[in-house]
Amino acid sequence: MDEARLQPYVNLIEQLLNCPQGDEPKILQAVEELLDGKLLQVMEYSAARLEEQGDKNNADKLRNWVLSLGEYLSPQEVNIEEYLGFLQEVLQAEYESNSDPAVVYPILERHQHLLDDTFAQVLQQWARNVFSEKNTEEAATIAKVMQNLCNKIAQFPRGSRANNLEIAITGYRTLLEPYTREAFPEQWAMIQINLGNAYGNRIRGDRAQNLESAIVAFKQSLEVFTLEAFPEQWAMIQNNLGSSYNKRIRGERVENLELAIAAFNCSLKVCSREAFPEQWATTQNNLGNAYSERIKGERANNIELAIAAYNQSLEVYTREAFPYEWARSQNNLGTAYGERIRGKKANNIELAIVAFNRSLEVYTREAFPSEWARSQNNLGITYLYRILGERAENLEKAIAALHRSLEVYTRDAFPEDWARIQNNLGAAYKNRNRGDEAENIERAISCYQESLKVRTINAFPIDWATTQNNLGNAYSSRIKGDKAENIELAITCYQEALKIYTREGFPMDWAETQYNLGNTFKELFKLLGKVEDITQAITAYKQARLIFQEIEDEQLFLDCLYQLSKALLEGGYYTEAIENLKICQQSHQEKKNIKSLAPILFDLAYLYHRTGRLEQSRLYFKDSLRLFRRLDDKENIASVTIALGNLEIQIGQISQALTHLKEAEKFYLENHNRERLQEINYLLDIIQSS
C-alpha cells in the first residue's frame, strides 16, 4: 500500500485510540470512505505492534474494532453455523463439567472473537426455540446451564468486556421468559440478582440508567428472597443494593448514601462474623466506603466509623489468608486516615502512608497493575498533604507517585482514572516549591484542562465540579498573563462548579467554593475598584460562613470570618468588620493562638484608627506589635511600626513615632522596598516640619 493511502488509516487509528470514550462511532461515521478491508489490515498490524511494545490495552481495543467493523463491512459473511457450533460446545462443557471454570474458560478463550452482538442474538434465539420445544422440566435444566454460562461470560476477563456484559444481560433477560416469578420464584429472583450485578458493571448505555436498572433488579429479587424465608440471600442482595446506591448518579447524593448505609447494616444483621466471616468482612469494607463519603451527620464521626469498619474487615481479611482483600482494605484505610479530622493531622497522614505502602506489598505492578496504579495515586495525594518531613521533598514524591500511576492509567484504557490523576497532578504542580513557580502553575492549569476532557458535566458531574473549582484556584494564583483576566477566568470556573455544587446536595463543597469566590472577588476589587466586586465577595463569604457554622468546623468558620472582615474593611463597612474580628479575637485568645491573633489585633487597630477611636487603636497596635515580636515576624513588625508611627504623629507622641518609623525604615532599606520607604519619608517629613 502506498504511503499516501496508508497515512489516513494511521491517522484514523490514532484518533480512535485517543478520543474520549463513546466518541468512536461519530468519528467513524465522518470517514466512511476509509471503512474497508485495508483499514482492518492496518488495524491488525497496529495491534500486533502495540502488543510487542507491551501496550496490550490498546492492542485489545484495536482487535475489538476489527471484529466490530468486520461485522459491519461484511454482515452477509457472518457464519451462523459457526456461532451455533460454539454455543452448543460451550453449553455441553458447562453441563458435563458441572460448571467447572477450568473446562469452560478455555473454550471461551479459543472463541473470544465470537463473543459479540451476533452471539447474543444467536443465544437468545436458540434459547427461545429450545424453551418452546421442551417440557417444563427439560427447559428448567437447560435454563440452569445457560444461566451458569451467562455468569461465566459476565466474569470472563478476556475479549471485549462491554460485549461480554451485553451477552450476559441478553441471556439473563431471555431466561426471565421461562423463569416467571409465578412458576419459578427462586430461579426468577436469582436471575434478577445476576441482572443487577451485570447492569451495575455495564459499560454500554447511560451509566445513570444502568445503575437504576441494577437497583430495580435487586429490589425485585428481594420480593422473593425475604429476610424470613432466605436470610443468607437477603443479606447478599442488601450488600449489592448498598453498593449500587453508593454509586448511584440520580437522586440526591445525601439520600443515596443513607440508603447505602442502611442496606449494608441490614446485611450485617444476618451476616455475622461467626456465621459468614468473608461476606461480613466484604460488607464491613463496603460500609467503610459509604461512611467515608457520607454527607449527613458530623464529618469527623463519619470518618471514625469508616476507619472502624475497615479495621473490622481486616480482622478477617489477613494478608496470609486473603492477600488481595487485605490490600484493598489497607488502601481504603489509608484514604480514611488521610481525610481524618480527629487526632493530630500529621500522625493521621503518616498512618495513611503506612497503609498505602502495605497495600503495595501485594498490589505489585506485575500482579495487579490497576490496583498498583490506584494505590500509587493515593500515595501521591497523601504526600501532597504531608506535614512531617521537608515540604519540597514531599511534593516531589507526590508528583513521582502520580506519574507512576499514569504508566498504567492511560487515557485510552482507564479514562476516568486518568482524569482523576491529572486532577491530582494539577494540585501537586500548583503547590510545588521546586522549579519555576510560574511554570509550575502553567503545568497545573494544563493538567486540570486535560482532566476536564474526560470529566464532562454530563458524564462525571461531581468530578467535573471538583476540577472546575481546582482550575479556579490555579487561575487565582497564576503569574503569567494579565492578572485581572486570570481572576475573571477563576471566577468563571467557580461559578461553573456551583452548577453542580448546590447548597442542598453538596453543602461543604458549595461553601468552600463560595469561600473561593469571596477571595477572588476581593482580589478583583483591589485591582479594578468596582463596588459590585467587593459586594459579591461579602455575599459569598457570608454564604460560606453559614455552612461552616452549621457543620461546627471552627477553623473553617474563623478563617471565613476573618476574610469576611477583610472584605468588609475594603468595602468601608467598618462597624460590621469590627464585630466579626472581635469574635475571631476572642476565640484565638482562648486558644492562645498568637500566630492567628497578631494579624487580627493589627486589623482591629487599623479599624479603630479609621473610626476615630485613637487610644483603642494605639493599644491594639502595641499588642499586635508585641505578638509579632514574639513570632519574630520582621515584615509584619515593620508594617505595624509604620502604622503605629503614623498614629503617634496624630496624637502628638513624636519621639515614639520617630523611633517606630526609623525601625521600619531600617527593615525596608535592607529589603529594597521603595514604595514603603517613600511612605516612611513622607511621615518623617511631617515630623521634621512640626
Side-chain angles (χ1 to χ4, degrees):
M1 189 185 306
D2 64 77
E3 193 167 332
R5 180 66 173 145
L6 177 64
Q7 194 57 46
Y9 291 130
V10 173
N11 293 343
L12 174 57
I13 289 168
E14 289 181 359
Q15 195 176 0
L16 286 170
L17 291 176
N18 293 306
C19 72
Q21 190 175 10
D23 283 3
E24 296 93 342
K26 288 186 286 185
I27 293 169
L28 291 169
Q29 287 170 12
V31 290
E32 284 198 49
E33 70 279 2
L34 294 178
L35 306 185
D36 54 28
K38 290 177 180 177
L39 171 62
L40 302 188
Q41 292 175 18
V42 178
M43 281 184 162
E44 283 283 11
Y45 174 77
S46 300
R49 290 291 302 275
L50 287 168
E51 193 158 35
E52 287 173 9
Q53 296 165 10
D55 190 353
K56 189 173 183 309
N57 289 318
N58 278 332
D60 286 344
K61 183 183 285 190
L62 280 182
R63 289 195 175 109
N64 287 332
W65 275 109
V66 170
L67 291 171
S68 299
L69 288 171
E71 295 170 17
Y72 169 77
L73 293 170
S74 306
Q76 71 280 7
E77 296 180 11
V78 171
N79 187 343
I80 297 300
E81 292 303 318
E82 184 181 9
Y83 282 95
L84 280 170
F86 163 46
L87 175 59
Q88 289 168 354
E89 179 187 358
V90 75
L91 282 170
Q92 188 73 18
E94 181 72 46
Y95 175 73
E96 292 180 352
S97 71
N98 196 25
S99 195
D100 185 354
V103 175
V104 176
Y105 273 171
I107 299 172
L108 295 177
E109 181 91 27
R110 289 197 305 272
H111 296 87
Q112 62 181 287
H113 63 288
L114 297 177
L115 292 173
D116 54 21
D117 291 342
T118 300
F119 182 78
Q121 294 166 15
V122 169
L123 174 65
Q124 184 177 65
Q125 193 56 53
W126 175 87
R128 284 174 173 168
N129 291 339
V130 169
F131 295 151
S132 65
E133 295 169 358
K134 303 292 182 182
N135 61 44
T136 303
E137 188 176 335
E138 289 175 327
T141 301
I142 293 168
K144 181 62 177 175
V145 174
M146 180 176 159
Q147 183 180 353
N148 291 338
L149 176 62
C150 289
N151 292 346
K152 287 189 179 58
I153 292 174
Q155 297 163 14
F156 186 52
R158 300 300 300 273
S160 166
R161 175 76 169 143
N163 283 354
N164 296 343
L165 287 166
E166 292 306 304
I167 292 167
I169 289 169
T170 301
Y172 295 139
R173 295 189 70 84
T174 305
L175 285 167
L176 288 173
E177 295 171 15
Y179 275 152
T180 62
R181 179 178 173 180
E182 294 72 23
F184 301 94
E186 290 181 41
Q187 292 88 337
W188 175 86
M190 187 56 70
I191 293 167
Q192 293 290 356
I193 295 172
N194 295 336
L195 200 54
N197 291 333
Y199 272 121
N201 294 316
R202 194 184 191 197
I203 295 168
R204 292 187 195 170
D206 178 65
R207 177 66 174 152
Q209 183 54 51
N210 288 337
L211 288 167
E212 294 305 304
S213 297
I215 290 168
V216 168
F218 289 135
K219 284 185 172 180
Q220 287 186 324
S221 70
L222 286 170
E223 294 173 9
V224 173
F225 288 141
T226 61
L227 173 61
E228 296 74 22
F230 301 93
E232 187 176 349
Q233 290 89 338
W234 180 85
M236 176 186 66
I237 299 163
Q238 291 291 351
N239 178 70
N240 295 351
L241 189 59
S243 295
S244 296
Y245 276 125
N246 201 7
K247 299 172 188 172
R248 195 183 194 192
I249 296 168
R250 294 184 185 168
E252 290 294 333
R253 180 66 176 152
V254 59
E255 185 57 33
N256 288 335
L257 287 167
E258 293 307 302
L259 289 169
I261 290 167
F264 292 136
N265 280 320
C266 280
S267 180
L268 289 170
K269 289 178 183 177
V270 173
C271 288
S272 65
R273 179 178 173 179
E274 295 72 29
F276 305 98
E278 289 181 46
Q279 193 170 332
W280 176 83
T282 297
T283 306
Q284 288 289 356
N285 180 75
N286 294 342
L287 184 60
N289 293 341
Y291 274 126
S292 69
E293 297 179 31
R294 193 185 194 194
I295 297 167
K296 274 190 180 178
E298 185 192 359
R299 177 67 177 153
N301 190 54
N302 287 334
I303 295 173
E304 294 304 307
L305 289 169
I307 290 170
Y310 293 137
N311 279 321
Q312 293 258 64
S313 74
L314 286 167
E315 292 177 10
V316 172
Y317 285 153
T318 62
R319 180 176 177 179
E320 295 73 28
F322 301 94
Y324 180 88
E325 290 79 6
W326 175 83
R328 182 186 63 194
S329 290
Q330 288 289 354
N331 179 76
N332 294 341
L333 186 60
T335 301
Y337 275 126
E339 296 174 354
R340 195 183 196 190
I341 296 168
R342 294 179 186 168
K344 291 185 178 179
K345 186 67 175 173
N347 292 342
N348 289 334
I349 291 173
E350 294 307 303
L351 289 169
I353 290 171
V354 168
F356 290 134
N357 280 321
R358 282 178 178 167
S359 74
L360 287 167
E361 293 172 13
V362 172
Y363 287 161
T364 62
R365 181 173 178 179
E366 294 73 25
F368 303 102
S370 178
E371 291 83 354
W372 173 84
R374 183 182 63 206
S375 289
Q376 290 289 354
N377 172 64
N378 293 342
L379 191 60
I381 296 169
T382 310
Y383 274 119
L384 176 61
Y385 298 108
R386 194 184 192 195
I387 297 167
L388 301 182
E390 185 191 358
R391 176 67 172 154
E393 182 60 29
N394 287 335
L395 286 167
E396 295 307 304
K397 287 181 178 179
I399 291 169
L402 292 169
H403 277 294
R404 282 196 295 272
S405 186
L406 286 173
E407 293 172 13
V408 172
Y409 283 156
T410 62
R411 179 176 174 179
D412 305 311
F414 300 93
E416 188 176 349
D417 298 297
W418 176 85
R420 182 174 66 250
I421 297 161
Q422 290 291 347
N423 177 76
N424 296 338
L425 264 177
Y429 278 119
K430 180 182 176 294
N431 291 285
R432 194 184 194 193
N433 300 112
R434 294 180 186 171
D436 180 70
E437 183 182 0
E439 190 54 40
N440 285 334
I441 293 174
E442 293 304 305
R443 292 186 75 172
I445 290 170
S446 176
C447 288
Y448 290 135
Q449 289 172 335
E450 286 292 293
S451 180
L452 288 169
K453 290 178 181 177
V454 172
R455 288 182 161 186
T456 63
I457 189 171
N458 293 321
F460 303 101
I462 300 171
D463 295 331
W464 175 83
T466 298
T467 304
Q468 286 287 359
N469 182 68
N470 293 344
L471 183 58
N473 293 341
Y475 276 127
S476 295
S477 306
R478 197 181 195 188
I479 296 168
K480 292 185 178 181
D482 180 76
K483 183 66 176 173
E485 287 180 8
N486 289 334
I487 290 176
E488 293 282 4
L489 287 168
I491 289 170
T492 299
C493 290
Y494 294 139
Q495 290 172 335
E496 287 288 283
L498 288 171
K499 290 179 181 178
I500 302 298
Y501 285 160
T502 61
R503 179 173 178 174
E504 296 74 24
F506 304 91
M508 189 64 178
D509 298 300
W510 178 82
E512 288 178 351
T513 307
Q514 291 287 357
Y515 179 77
N516 292 339
L517 263 180
N519 291 339
T520 317
F521 273 120
K522 188 171 65 178
E523 285 300 309
L524 195 60
F525 172 75
K526 290 178 182 177
L527 284 171
L528 305 180
K530 293 181 180 178
V531 174
E532 60 264 31
D533 290 332
I534 198 64
T535 302
Q536 290 197 73
I538 291 167
T539 300
Y541 283 134
K542 285 183 175 180
Q543 303 231 60
R545 178 186 62 180
L546 291 173
I547 297 298
F548 295 150
Q549 194 168 17
E550 284 175 12
I551 64 171
E552 298 180 357
D553 191 319
E554 189 179 12
Q555 189 57 54
L556 282 174
F557 173 72
L558 291 172
D559 288 346
C560 185
L561 206 60
Y562 180 66
Q563 293 302 329
L564 171 61
S565 303
K566 301 282 277 187
L568 290 165
L569 188 156
E570 295 280 355
Y573 302 97
Y574 298 146
T575 302
E576 192 176 350
I578 289 170
E579 289 171 359
N580 285 294
L581 283 172
K582 293 292 284 182
I583 295 171
C584 295
Q585 177 192 357
Q586 181 179 352
S587 177
H588 290 304
Q589 277 179 336
E590 289 172 357
K591 296 176 181 177
K592 298 181 180 178
N593 183 354
I594 65 170
K595 189 174 182 180
S596 297
L597 182 60
I600 291 168
L601 296 177
F602 183 25
D603 290 333
L604 279 167
Y606 174 82
L607 283 163
Y608 285 136
H609 191 177
R610 292 296 298 264
T611 53
R613 287 174 271 186
L614 302 186
E615 180 57 23
Q616 271 184 293
S617 175
R618 185 183 72 83
L619 293 173
Y620 270 82
F621 275 134
K622 290 181 77 69
D623 282 343
S624 68
L625 181 59
R626 176 175 51 81
L627 295 183
F628 281 130
R629 289 196 194 283
R630 283 179 61 185
L631 294 166
D632 196 28
D633 187 340
K634 292 182 172 57
E635 187 168 356
N636 273 314
I637 289 169
S639 295
V640 177
T641 49
I642 292 177
L644 183 55
N646 182 24
L647 173 63
E648 287 167 336
I649 291 171
Q650 283 186 264
I651 61 178
Q653 295 182 356
I654 303 301
S655 61
Q656 292 95 321
L658 187 61
T659 299
H660 286 129
L661 291 171
K662 285 293 183 182
E663 181 181 355
E665 183 182 44
K666 180 181 178 184
F667 173 80
Y668 289 120
L669 281 169
E670 291 172 354
N671 289 274
H672 311 289
N673 191 324
R674 292 178 61 186
E675 187 177 343
R676 298 310 300 264
L677 286 169
Q678 287 175 352
E679 184 181 351
I680 292 167
N681 287 331
Y682 171 77
L683 294 172
L684 289 173
D685 287 343
I686 293 175
I687 292 174
Q688 186 68 34
S689 64
S690 64

